[in-house]
Amino acid sequence: MPLDFNNLFGIHEQALKVHAKRGETIASNLANADTPGYKARDIDFRAALQNAQAGSPGAMEATQAGHIQSNSPEDPNLMYRTAVQPSVDGNTVDGQVEKQKYMESAMRYQASLSFIDGQLKQLLAAIRGQ
Amino acid sequence: MGMFNIFDITGSGMSAQSVRLNTTASNLANAETVSSSTGETYRARHPMFSTALDEAMGGDGSKLGGVRVDGIVESQAPLQRKYAPDHPKADDNGYIYMPNVNPVEEMANMMSASRSYQTQVEVANTAKQLMMKTLTLGK
């Protein structure tokens, strides 16, 4: 089987991008934990990854600022979180939930990283032949 | 793009929380500042937060935002009036005016602000570790 350099890391390359974006979204939630009226948001990971993998076939190019963006991994559809205990000021950020999600996202990011790392090490071993 | 936004977001969160800590410190320090008229009396100050969208955060249309301090507002709660005719600052009727600072509320505010700040630091630290690991891939 010839080595396909375009797809060397498999799904993990896209997964990293989606996890990075998710981490950013959750960081934004945590930063706005005390902002009145802020609604917590998150990324639908499965949908975002499927989109990223499919490479958005038939996606239209956004050439002007007013164009609606397609769902690239850098710009997936954000969804609002269903609040367990919404506060009186309209804020739906739950610090515990967000911290847990952030930690989960970070762990999954590291898991993808270590898969990529393993692949690279394998490749290096093959190149060196030692 | 990418994880660098996290540092902008947590940075804005940290500065917003430190503004909040500053106002709390000012309120607590002035909790006992008496004066002889309602006009000169210190009033409790609180920052107003709002979400800073897009343009402040790199403007790549990522729809994420940090925190912006819209301003600091003075509390409209009534001042405490105290009858103390012997006080050097007492007015003609023998009253002094105390700030409308509620120390218990301020302490709770302080704890909340410091917890939020800690959360921001931890988020930034985790993001930094992830970036460092990404940079040292294959080593």
Side-chain angles (χ1 to χ4, degrees), chain A residues 5 24-25 40-42 44 46 58 61 64 67-68 75 78 86 99 101 103 107-108 117 120 124 130:
Chain A
F5 276 100
E24 219 176 276
T25 313
R41 290 173 301 179
D42 201 354
D44 180 357
R46 182 192 295 269
E61 202 179 341
Q64 284 183 10
H67 287 174
I68 295 170
D75 187 24
L78 293 179
K99 277 184 219 166
K101 299 271 183 208
M103 185 192 69
M107 291 304 292
R108 290 183 186 276
D117 198 39
L120 279 173
L124 277 177
Q130 290 167 351

Side-chain angles (χ1 to χ4, degrees), chain B residues 39-111:
Chain B
E40 327 171 334
T41 313
Y42 181 88
R43 286 167 190 273
R45 276 132 220 240
H46 296 114
M48 286 197 312
F49 292 166
S50 72
T51 311
L53 282 173
D54 279 339
E55 62 277 5
M57 294 297 145
D60 60 349
S62 55
K63 291 179 278 187
L64 293 172
V67 194
R68 181 179 52 216
V69 180
D70 276 342
I72 294 172
V73 289
E74 292 194 340
S75 163
Q76 293 304 312
L79 297 171
Q80 305 169 43
R81 197 170 65 153
K82 207 172 179 181
Y83 186 63
D86 297 336
H87 198 283
K89 281 200 171 172
D91 65 4
D92 296 344
N93 298 320
Y95 285 108
I96 54 168
Y97 296 89
M98 312 263 296
N100 55 359
V101 174
N102 182 346
V104 180
E105 203 179 283
E106 296 300 334
M107 291 303 283
N109 234 329
M110 183 186 83
M111 281 159 67

Side-chain angles (χ1 to χ4, degrees), chain A residues 24 28 31 34 41 102 110 117, chain B residues 2 17 63 65 67 123 133 138:
Chain A
E24 219 176 276
S28 175
D34 297 312
R41 290 173 301 179
Y102 188 76
Q110 292 194 47
D117 198 39
Chain B
Q17 296 300 339
K63 291 179 278 187
V67 194
V123 167
K133 284 201 174 162

